Amino acid sequence: MTKPEQRRRTAKQRLLQAADDLFYSEGIHTVGIDRVIAHAGVAKGSLYYSFTGKDELVHEYLIHRHGKWAERVTAGIEAHTDPRARILAVYDVLGTLFAQPDYRGCAFMNATAEAAPDSVEAQAATTFRAWVHNLFLDLASDVDAGDPKQLAETLVLLYDGAVATAQMDRAPEAARTARRTAELILDNADLRHIEAEAQAL
Amino acid sequence: MTKPEQRRRTAKQRLLQAADDLFYSEGIHTVGIDRVIAHAGVAKGSLYYSFTGKDELVHEYLIHRHGKWAERVTAGIEAHTDPRARILAVYDVLGTLFAQPDYRGCAFMNATAEAAPDSVEAQAATTFRAWVHNLFLDLASDVDAGDPKQLAETLVLLYDGAVATAQMDRAPEAARTARRTAELILDNADLRHIEAEAQAL
DNA sequence: ACGACGTTAGACCGGCCTGTCTAAATAGGC
DNA sequence: GCCTATTTAGACAGGCCGGTCTAACGTCGT
């Protein structure tokens, strides 16, 4: 057995890295395996030794993206304790994402755009979306608002809006716009909630 | 010269229709010209007689999409006179779009996802985005809010958010979420504006 | 009835794509 | 030093793709 740590990274790792670079920046259908192995500096045989085929490589590429992003977002959230600040932190993390020069939108939206409904891309996208919704539902439940589900839906919409606008317009400031709007919603949700409580007394 | 009206639609029209169906529902790279001509019921020669190549067909497909959507949106807007209602009407039109069973997101976002930066897709997308921004900037200028530019940015973000969420989650109700949020923003913008005026007196 | 325009069917080319296979070199664990 | 796991280079096959070309057929204005 080979230990996971080696002087030079393993062919599988280099392939995954190359896939991450190329699939994200140019699209999955556009990039052939020849390009991937060339960018990885690896023989074609290594690809089919490490993966069953392009599909599996694509799948692992998306899973990898999901993991990395989830880490980054949760790290941003956990820097705060106030429920409201934890929500807003997500949009700040988006801001750091948009600021990256190679930002080209959400990998899962892009994958969905060129994928068949029953493809591995669609499957990974579904998993990713479930995570997004769960994230905001958890965050929304900790805040003192009327309906956490409705709040979460709106926060997801702002998240998606920031992602899409930033991509289409190459406009990193969309993160701040989303954050500002989220603040407004939270203020208002608080207000309505407090009013409702006052009336109940 | 052949008159534009014929019993049976011209090969060019049928090709454009087929391109519209297939490129939108399956993606541009995914669909080959063989599929397009088969779906159009047209000979391959007709494609290269009517268009210079696939690129031109793609370009006209996107221009056609842009035109149709612009018509539909402006029709929805012009049904109202109140500036605020005209803004909200856009999200209602989005709702009718999402309700279509074949809805698969924004053609321009999808095209951008699989296109190179300098492609005809990117070019058409830029034109489309300029139209979107102009639309909301005009609408925002007619409302009594503080900064029309900032308001427009937020409305665009809500528009994009609705489009993206509806696609990723197959959730047509995203239109209503966006509309509700837009109302909240407009209420608040009004409020702040009025307060600012009061302070100025 | 002629001629331009539009259209047809299909053969054909070069190129790229995914995937298979072979045969040999390079590791690392024991 | 042996054995297995990993990796290499490249030839190869079969399929799809965009695009060209030919030869012929309809249609319609004049």
Side-chain angles (χ1 to χ4, degrees), chain A residues 12-81:
Chain A
K12 185 167 187 174
Q13 290 174 310
R14 313 182 94 236
L15 281 166
L16 218 40
Q17 180 62 51
D20 197 66
D21 292 349
L22 297 176
F23 287 156
Y24 178 70
S25 66
E26 301 185 35
I28 293 167
H29 283 345
T30 318
V31 175
I33 50 169
D34 289 337
R35 297 270 317 281
V36 177
I37 63 172
H39 191 268
V42 143
K44 184 182 270 193
S46 293
L47 197 163
Y48 289 95
Y49 181 82
S50 307
F51 304 92
T52 61
K54 190 186 183 182
D55 269 9
E56 194 175 274
L57 180 61
V58 168
H59 197 209
E60 294 211 15
Y61 147 64
L62 289 172
I63 289 173
H64 186 249
R65 278 264 156 185
H66 180 148
K68 281 281 187 186
W69 179 237
E71 273 181 34
R72 200 162 148 186
V73 169
T74 43
I77 292 171
E78 285 171 359
H80 299 83
T81 52

Side-chain angles (χ1 to χ4, degrees), chain A residues 156-177:
Chain A
V156 168
L157 189 133
L158 290 176
Y159 173 94
D160 288 337
V163 165
T165 304
Q167 177 180 15
M168 294 300 286
D169 300 335
R170 244 151 291 193
E173 65 272 18
R176 295 207 63 80
T177 306

